Amino acid sequence: MAAVTAVAGDDFFDDDVTPGAVTNCALWQADVSRPRKAAPPVDDPSWNRKRLLDYHSEFVTLKTRSMDQALTQLKLTLLVNNRQRGTARRGLIVSGPPGAGKSTTLMELGRAFELSERRRQPDHEGYMPVAFASIPPTYTPKSLVQVLARFACIPVHDRMTENTITNAVCHVLCERRTRLVFIDDVHLLNTRTRPGADTSDQLKMLAERVPATFVLAGVDVENSPLLTGPRGAQLAARCKILRTPPLLNGTPEQKASWRELLGDMEMALRLARHRTGTLARHADYIHRLTGGVMSSLSHLIREAAIRSVLDGNTAITKQQLSQVVLDIQATNAARASRRQRRNG
């Protein structure tokens, strides 16, 4: 309770502007241009409490096996599509449970491709290799192209027709040589409804008019309405499903991969009194807490690190881990695991 009281009774550390979402190509390209430098060693005198809190809040993005597989499949798909003149270009669908790292995978794929294109074409002024959009909750064909228009910094207003916005989006993406289009939250599209069917048709039309590779992402897409019916069958015939499942901790190989990931996270920590090997020693406990879900794992380690900075221990311990209140999905998974062990 003392640690919680110390956190609750202290000042808020929100004096800096929190980075906003990457909603347009200017913000995206600025984010990609921001170098990812290795943090100074833990004994560097530049570390103070605020800098430690900021660092562990942002932390690092760690590559998982499914992310590496997605990168390989993207490279292959781009090569397959490279000289394809027809409209039925191949696509990818990144699918998995909530919190498994689908959106992070899209961002990392987009970042890797954008940096590759910048190296290949140093004079990239006006070039937009990558475009992002998310399916709006109240989706229509018009709202989908409005999202893409905002990303491409195309001025639109509500009085513009769907056809006008669509033509503008297709023109700009072609003119700026966009080669990758990422569409997130596609599980929201219910093709059994009229708006869902029309928006699915709009997505198909965009993929035919823009000579780019489309990468979709959503929650358990293979079981969603998106792939049902004639429209879904057509999409399924063009796309590969890439799963981003939770990381397992059962077989010796799975245990080794899980501990390797925890070791990489530990190497990224900047806590003066932290004992190397602590996360691996508590690997089974950490897996029970998080269910192997990347978002829950990231939250657990970041908050435990921040707690250790606030209480002055600057070391993650099992007690620190146990004090973190995780998301509902992780909490329910941990309860189910405990029941299974008791009944097993």
Side-chain angles (χ1 to χ4, degrees), residues 74 77-92 113 117 127-132 148 169-170 172-183 203-216 238-239:
L74 177 61
T77 304
L78 284 167
L79 288 170
V80 168
N81 289 341
N82 196 34
R83 290 292 182 265
Q84 185 167 337
R85 294 184 180 277
T87 58
R89 280 176 290 273
R90 303 293 94 183
L92 299 174
F113 182 74
E117 288 298 283
Y127 184 25
M128 189 175 70
V130 174
F132 280 93
L148 278 168
V169 166
C170 291
V172 169
L173 265 56
C174 291
E175 185 178 56
R176 300 186 68 181
R177 294 174 291 166
T178 301
R179 292 189 59 206
L180 266 182
V181 178
F182 294 100
I183 308 290
L203 184 58
K204 176 177 175 291
M205 186 276 301
L206 290 169
E208 291 176 348
R209 288 184 60 180
V210 179
T213 296
F214 278 64
V215 182
L216 317 181
R238 298 182 181 184
C239 294

Side-chain angles (χ1 to χ4, degrees), residues 288-289 330-344:
R288 287 197 298 271
L289 288 178
T331 302
N332 290 341
R335 287 173 180 166
S337 178
R338 286 195 297 269
R339 285 196 301 269
Q340 187 175 16
R341 291 200 310 277
R342 285 198 302 267
N343 298 333

Side-chain angles (χ1 to χ4, degrees), residues 269-330:
L269 293 172
R270 292 298 182 267
L271 301 174
R273 299 187 184 92
H274 182 79
R275 292 185 179 181
T276 302
T278 298
L279 298 187
R281 189 165 62 253
H282 300 305
D284 293 339
Y285 175 67
I286 293 171
H287 195 273
R288 287 197 298 271
L289 288 178
T290 64
V293 175
M294 282 302 298
S295 64
S296 302
L297 175 64
S298 174
H299 174 196
L300 175 68
I301 302 305
R302 289 187 299 129
E303 184 171 321
I306 286 170
R307 282 174 172 271
S308 78
V309 173
L310 291 174
D311 66 21
N313 289 333
T314 59
I316 292 180
T317 62
K318 188 174 183 180
Q319 182 181 6
Q320 290 279 10
L321 296 170
S322 69
Q323 290 175 341
V324 177
V325 179
L326 287 173
D327 53 90
I328 297 170
Q329 177 180 248

